[in-house]
């Protein structure tokens, strides 16, 4: 048996996406830049996918730029906004401490290049306060970047409100919507979003395709120089099969979106209730302002990595919440940002559900996690100290 509960890391491709992709690999393999009819057929498919995605984001097709994924879109969004700002003498950027590394590491580079970055604290509930965003904006601020939904703890940020503040103050607003796209409604008009990143493989599309939405008038800086693809903003022959698959996957994910969200959230809450029965366990992130498929717990007195290994033995694919830090002893920057102490942040578990998750899988997982935590604690010297009172519990 295999139970896949790591859908925030990547997802299984949907049959609809795969069906849309195969003809582009087998028959319609022309280059969209070629002038003969075979190439123009590929171009039509490309532009159809662009229009389909634009309709889902509530923007114009020419505001949709295809990238290789979420990381590239984040990099390009930040670098473009920084360049626009620098041209006006504005070199200050506001973001948050719990962004994805694609944002945080780009900000590190921009800092080295002379930009000043204010990283807002995230509150214990995993939510950014719009008033604090407003207070951090200065006359020389060129960009605010706040993620739509966090990839570790699933908290959904008040992006429309933050967008409104940025619009009022004349500051560009970027949101990393990689975890939100296909899972939550997106309307870049209503939400006042100037730049938005998404990635196909997080909503049952293929790996290696993403979108950077850039509002008309926000001039993108190419990260890759070469041909004139993507209106001269992103060189390289378009990955047509993946792009067409992405459009189909987004279409499918958005269809019956409300019903899907309700169904997945009910399973999520069943899992949360089950895991909350484990003593000295705490849910990370707000229980309500939360992605329908995200569950993230800290268990006192254990190591997240050991827990993952035991769950793997039971056929459960999970994450310790810090996706890219396997092999490092650093606890998750997200859990530290919401104020969890180091020793607690080490004992974290992220389980992320999909449309395909079943109630049987959830019940099996509750049982497996409960047993695994008990087993690890029975072998843990830290747990012995907690039990004897030699060390106080952090999680009551
Ligand atoms: C996965 C992810 C990314 C990176 O997307 P890729 O397509 O894998 O490059 C960026 N931001 C968030 C929030 C993510 O979850």
């Amino acid at each position: 048996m295999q139970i896949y509960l790591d859908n925030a890391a990547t997802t299984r491709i949907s049959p609809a996406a795969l069906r849309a992709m195969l003809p582009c690999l087998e028959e319609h393999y022309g280059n969209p830049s070629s002038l003969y009819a075979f190439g123009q057929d590929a171009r039509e498919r490309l532009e159809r996918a662009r229009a389909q995605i634009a309709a889902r984001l509530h923007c114009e097709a020419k505001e949709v730029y295809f990238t290789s994924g979420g990381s590239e879109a984040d990099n390009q969004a930040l670098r473009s906004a920084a360049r626009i700002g620098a041209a006006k003498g504005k070199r200050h950027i506001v973001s948050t401490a719990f962004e994805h590394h694609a944002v945080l590491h780009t900000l590190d580079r921009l800092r080295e290049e002379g930009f000043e970055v204010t990283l807002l604290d995230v509150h214990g509930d995993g939510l950014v306060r719009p008033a604090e965003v407003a207070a951090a904006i200065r006359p020389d601020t060129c960009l605010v970047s706040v993620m739509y939904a966090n990839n570790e703890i699933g908290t959904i940020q008040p992006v429309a409100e933050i967008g409104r503040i940025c619009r009022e103050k004349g500051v560009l607003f970027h949101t990393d919507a990689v975890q939100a796209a296909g899972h939550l409604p997106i309307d870049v008009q209503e939400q006042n979003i100037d730049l938005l990143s998404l990635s196909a493989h997080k909503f049952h599309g293929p790996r290696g395709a993403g979108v950077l939405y850039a509002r008309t008038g926000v001039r993108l800086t190419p990260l890759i120089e070469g041909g004139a693809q993507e209106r001269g903003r992103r060189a390289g022959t378009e990955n047509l099969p993946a792009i067409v698959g992405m459009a189909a996957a987004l279409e499918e994910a958005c269809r019956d979106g409300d019903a899907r969200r309700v169904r997945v959230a009910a399973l999520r809450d069943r899992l949360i209730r089950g895991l909350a029965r484990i003593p000295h366990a705490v849910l990370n992130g707000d229980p309500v302002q939360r992605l329908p498929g995200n569950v993230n717990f800290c268990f006192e007195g254990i190591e997240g990595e050991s827990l993952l290994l035991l769950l793997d033995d039971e056929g459960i694919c999970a994450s310790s919440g810090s996706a890219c830090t396997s092999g490092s002893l650093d606890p998750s920057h997200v859990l530290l940002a919401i104020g969890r102490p180091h020793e607690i942040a080490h004992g974290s578990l992220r389980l992320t559900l999909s449309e395909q998750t079943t109630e049987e899988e959830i019940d099996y997982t509750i049982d497996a996690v409960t047993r695994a935590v008990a087993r690890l604690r029975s072998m843990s010297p830290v747990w012995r100290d907690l039990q004897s009172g030699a060390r106080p519990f952090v999680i009551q």
Side-chain angles (χ1 to χ4, degrees), residues 8-9 68-72 74 100 102 147 149-151 176-179 198-202 208-210:
S68 67
S71 299
E72 185 188 330
D74 282 343
H100 190 272
M147 69 200 318
N150 183 268
N151 48 304
D176 174 339
V178 172
Q179 290 292 332
L198 61 79
S199 174
H201 77 99
K202 303 292 178 76

Side-chain angles (χ1 to χ4, degrees), residues 225-239:
E225 304 285 353
Q229 291 91 354
E230 299 304 297
R231 310 174 78 233
R233 304 289 119 200
R234 203 279 185 179
T237 303
E238 302 87 346
N239 185 355

